[in-house]
Structure formats: structure tokens, C-alpha cells
Amino acid sequence: MIPVMGVDGATVAVLGLGRSGRTAARALAAGGASVVAWDDGPAGRAAAEDEDIALRDLSRPGALDDVAALIVSPGIPHLYPRPHPVIAAAWEAGVPVDNDIGLFFRSLGQSDWDSHDVAPKVVAVTGSNGKSTTAALIHHVLREGGRESQLAGNIGRGVLDIDPPGDGGVVVLELSSYQTELARSLTPDVAVFTNLSPDHLDRHGGMGGYFAAKRRLFAEGGPDRCIVGVDELEGRFLANQLAESRADDRVIRISADRKLAEGWSVTARKGYLSELRKGRQVGSIDLREIKGLPGAHNHQNACAAYAVARTLGLGPRQIEAAFASYPGLPHRSQLIAERGGVRFVNDSKATNVDSAAKALAAFGRIRWICGGLQKEGGLGGLLDAAGGVVKAYVIGREAEAFAMSLTGIDAEVCTTMADAVARSAAEAEPGDVVLLAPAAASFDQYDNFEQRGEDFAARVAALA
């Protein structure tokens, strides 16, 4: 655990008692704080009581009178579409509001950093799509290269729940816009921006607010090295803002769809990764046969992970060997079975149009299982990527409306996962891919995208 610094003797309130909230409460207590906590749901309060975390209804008048800071879990809105009443009360009372990410960065290394021969590093990854795979791939490459690495944040363990890193150790964080937007301290050594596409727009008041939340990771703490995906306008803007000159190698540009000439860059075109410095190729990897990284979207993730590994001193051949052994993440273009020449791929994490489009672009003849709670913006941007779809099998509470929006695609309303798997498997031919890439949230039928993916895998396993 990372004890929180600067809170000894203070009363600190925690709002939201999921995993990150309870971990923050323990880390605050380890730092000497008197912790009071609240969750709007009875399940969260019960979990806190099981861990002897003191409860206080923070919505009551005067509940914040003795509180030095309010720590908020990432799922709780603090600005758009409207602030939670407790957060609004904290503003009125002048109580600073922060989250566990801010506590982590202000506390890491305060006590024993000088004892290391090689200072530990923090790598932070953000973006709309691919950040989980990128963070996990960085972690895998470092471990395979003999480096100490811990994976935390929006994936793996809570940031305050990790062990203090050892000599030369690396902490790899996946950070969502919810986490970067509120954190008062953001000081990674290496920061990664994968890409940007519309998501969580109600939470951030539109695309401008969403991008601003991501950009804070680079603007607030001044990382030593910035790795920026430049396949969208926002990435090109960010890279230009960060670089002092065309040759500034503190900024590494990455791309999966364009040739880059300036400075230090890593690109993946037609399945080949190339590292260029000052216009000269200094490293390359053939990504086409790496099963854990299918498709151009995963090749962009590979570019980001490669750039981080090079920044941290690993050689191209070390990275290539680690890529080859990467198993992939559950629910992200995960090959779960192959039967009679038909592959079954679970990309339940494709909860928005952009991520689903990238999954569709990774394969040839596709039997596409899709549907769920549709997000803002419709499916227009997805249809251009659906050229490989032989047929769609639509699930979800609003399957019929979802199917009608798939203009030009043969779509069958199945409603349930069981029917969709059975129908797609019965109609699939050798060489086809049965792909779960919903392009929608899961909450109409499942608690989360993981549960949806597990249901898909179970239905595939049960096929005769």
C-alpha cells in the first residue's frame, strides 16, 4: 500500500465506496488521517462497514465542517451533467476535492525515494480506445524484459493498493478521463495518449471537455517523455503543443495509418512496425503473425507500448520477443475458440462505435454479434467499417431498433446472447469469424461488459 502523505491528524472524507474508494480510505488511514466515508448505495456502505471504515452521511448539513479534503470515486459526476450534491457542498464550504489518482502522485516516493540507485518510473496511459491493452502490453513487455513492473489504475490494482516500487521499478497506470479530470496532482515520468473518439460526452460537457480531461495528463505535471497517437486531429494538436521543435525527441509520435518523418516516431503500416529517428529506421517488427495483437487498432497499441519500452531502455529484439508471447486481454479481440475453421472472438469491451469499427476492421468474413444500450451519435461512423460483415445478429432490449439502424447490413434480431451465438454458429462457414463487438453499453442485460463477454464465452463453450 502507498500511505497518503500530508494528512496526518486531519479528517478526510471519502465519497463512493467501490474498490478505489475503500482503498483510498485505507491508504488515508495508513497516512494518519481520520477517515469518514459515505456511499449513496447500501451495498457500498455495507462493504465499508465490513472493513471498519467509519460512515458519515456527507449530505447532512454540517457534515463537512471538520473535513480537510473530500476524496471522490471516479464514477461520481463532479461537474457535468451536474455535480453530486456533496461535491457542490464541498465547493461552497471551501473543502478541496481530489481523487485517489491525485493522492497517489502526491504520495509516491515521498518517504524512501532517495534510497534507490535507480529511481522508479511511472508510466500513465490514457485515450479513448486501446488504453487497457496498451497498459497491459507495456507491463507484459517490461516483465518479459526482466524489469519490475506493477499494473494499476483503471486496470489491475487500485493505485494506492500497489506495493512501493523497488529499485528501478515501473508502475504502469491506465487512467480514464474520469480519473485525469479531477486529480490535483498528475506527474508521470512517461505519458501516453492513444487516440480520441466520442465517449462519455455527457460527463464532460462535449468533446472539448472530454479532450481537456485527457490533456491534463500532459499539461499538469510535464512528463519527461510524451508518446502521442496522431491519427486524429486532437493527437496532432497535442503533439504540436508539447514539442519545442521538429527534432524534439521528448515527444514520440505514433500512428497506424500514416507515414511520419519528423523527430522520433513509431508507425505500423500494413502490419509492419517501424521506429524512425531523424528520418532513419532504427528498429522494426512484423506484427502480422502476433495472435495477441490482431488488427490495425492493436498495431497502434503495439506502437505505443514499443515507444514506452524503448524510452525505458529495452531493445527492439527484446520487445519483439515479448510481443510474441503476449496473450491478449479478456474481452478485447480475444480469440476464445476455433471450431471447424470458424474463429470465435470476444471483444465485449467494444462499447462504442469507434472501438467496434476497429474490431470489425481486424477480420475478414464476420458474423457480427452486436447491440445493447446505444450511445449518443448513432451508428453512422460504424457502417463504413462493416464491409467484412456477412450478417449481424443483434442482441439487447432494443434489438429491433438497433437492427433497423444497420443500413445495408443483413441483420437478424436475436435479442439474447444464447440465440445470437446459436444462430451465428449454425450459419458460419470455414474461414468466418463470429465476432462479439457490441458497439453499445451492456447495462440493459448485464452488470458490465465483462459479464457480457463471459456469457458469450460460455455460450460458445456449450456449442455441440
Side-chain angles (χ1 to χ4, degrees):
M1 176 166 286
I2 307 295
V4 177
M5 298 291 104
V7 295
D8 189 23
T11 298
V12 180
V14 175
L15 179 64
L17 291 168
R19 182 191 69 166
S20 65
R22 298 197 307 276
T23 300
R26 293 194 298 270
L28 285 161
S34 174
V35 178
V36 294
W38 187 250
D39 192 290
D40 291 335
R45 298 196 293 270
E49 287 184 311
D50 289 343
E51 297 184 26
D52 295 323
I53 298 171
L55 295 177
R56 178 192 292 181
D57 185 350
L58 299 175
S59 64
R60 290 188 297 103
L64 298 174
D65 287 352
D66 62 340
V67 168
L70 174 66
I71 309 304
V72 179
S73 292
I76 299 173
H78 58 269
L79 186 55
Y80 302 115
R82 64 189 59 83
H84 188 282
V86 173
I87 295 174
W91 295 347
E92 292 294 329
V95 176
V97 179
D98 203 350
N99 63 14
D100 61 331
I101 305 301
L103 297 180
F104 168 83
F105 277 111
R106 91 181 200 195
S107 302
L108 185 68
Q110 294 295 318
S111 57
D112 60 354
W113 221 243
D114 293 339
S115 66
H116 294 302
D117 292 329
V118 178
K121 302 282 189 181
V122 177
V123 177
V125 181
T126 196
S128 295
N129 299 305
K131 57 185 179 294
S132 294
T133 295
T134 298
L137 183 57
I138 293 167
H139 174 64
H140 176 79
V141 170
L142 291 172
R143 295 284 293 269
E144 291 293 298
R147 299 285 293 273
E148 175 196 315
S149 178
Q150 298 182 77
L151 184 62
N154 213 35
I155 186 175
R157 299 163 70 181
V159 291
L160 294 168
D161 195 38
I162 67 169
D163 301 319
D167 195 56
V170 181
V171 178
V172 182
L173 303 180
E174 180 204 338
L175 298 181
S176 71
S177 57
Y178 292 4
Q179 294 169 310
T180 58
E181 185 176 46
L182 188 60
R184 285 173 166 257
S185 179
L186 284 168
T187 55
D189 298 282
V190 182
V192 179
F193 176 86
T194 59
N195 50 58
L196 197 79
S197 61
D199 206 1
H200 310 304
L201 300 189
D202 59 335
R203 173 67 181 263
H204 297 294
M207 279 294 286
Y210 180 45
F211 177 50
K214 302 286 189 185
R215 187 178 179 276
R216 289 191 76 247
L217 182 63
F218 301 82
E220 293 298 310
D224 297 329
R225 180 68 45 73
C226 300
I227 294 157
V228 182
V230 295
D231 289 341
E232 293 85 29
L233 286 173
E234 292 86 356
R236 294 195 283 278
F237 168 83
L238 179 60
N240 185 268
Q241 288 276 297
L242 295 169
E244 293 293 333
S245 69
R246 297 175 70 175
D248 188 351
D249 67 2
R250 294 173 304 169
V251 179
I252 305 176
R253 293 167 173 83
I254 62 170
S255 174
D257 73 1
R258 64 189 60 230
K259 183 178 180 180
L260 303 175
E262 66 271 21
W264 190 354
S265 66
V266 183
T267 61
R269 303 177 73 205
K270 298 181 179 180
Y272 288 92
L273 180 151
S274 297
E275 176 191 4
L276 285 86
R277 296 198 198 188
K278 299 179 181 178
R280 297 180 59 187
Q281 182 171 298
V282 295
S284 65
I285 297 175
D286 184 351
L287 299 172
R288 294 174 300 171
E289 300 304 318
I290 297 177
K291 293 184 177 180
L293 296 168
H297 63 303
N298 274 312
H299 294 172
Q300 184 190 54
N301 300 334
C303 288
Y306 179 97
V308 170
R310 293 290 279 144
T311 290
L312 297 177
L314 275 70
R317 299 286 74 83
Q318 284 179 292
I319 301 169
E320 182 176 16
F323 280 3
S325 64
Y326 178 65
L329 277 179
H331 315 298
R332 296 163 176 88
S333 294
Q334 177 193 18
L335 178 64
I336 59 171
E338 187 165 355
R339 298 171 181 270
V342 177
R343 288 178 289 166
F344 294 81
V345 176
N346 169 19
D347 204 329
S348 184
K349 183 61 170 66
T351 60
N352 61 39
V353 164
D354 189 65
S355 56
K358 290 176 178 177
L360 289 171
F363 304 101
R365 284 178 52 87
I366 299 169
R367 304 279 174 175
W368 179 27
I369 299 177
C370 57
L373 283 180
Q374 192 172 328
K375 296 186 177 180
E376 290 183 19
L379 300 176
L382 186 60
L383 301 180
D384 291 341
V389 174
V390 178
K391 185 174 179 180
Y393 305 82
V394 188
I395 63 173
R397 189 173 59 202
E398 300 174 350
E400 187 170 343
F402 198 101
M404 290 178 64
S405 67
L406 297 176
T407 308
I409 297 175
D410 182 13
E412 179 178 340
V413 174
C414 296
T415 306
T416 67
M417 184 69 74
D419 285 348
V421 170
R423 293 290 297 143
S424 59
E427 296 181 352
E429 301 173 359
D432 287 358
V433 173
V434 175
L435 172 66
L436 171 64
S442 59
F443 305 122
D444 57 332
Q445 294 181 310
Y446 302 95
D447 290 340
N448 47 53
F449 73 84
E450 292 96 339
Q451 190 181 81
R452 178 171 59 189
E454 289 160 3
D455 188 22
F456 172 72
R459 302 293 180 183
V460 172
L463 290 172

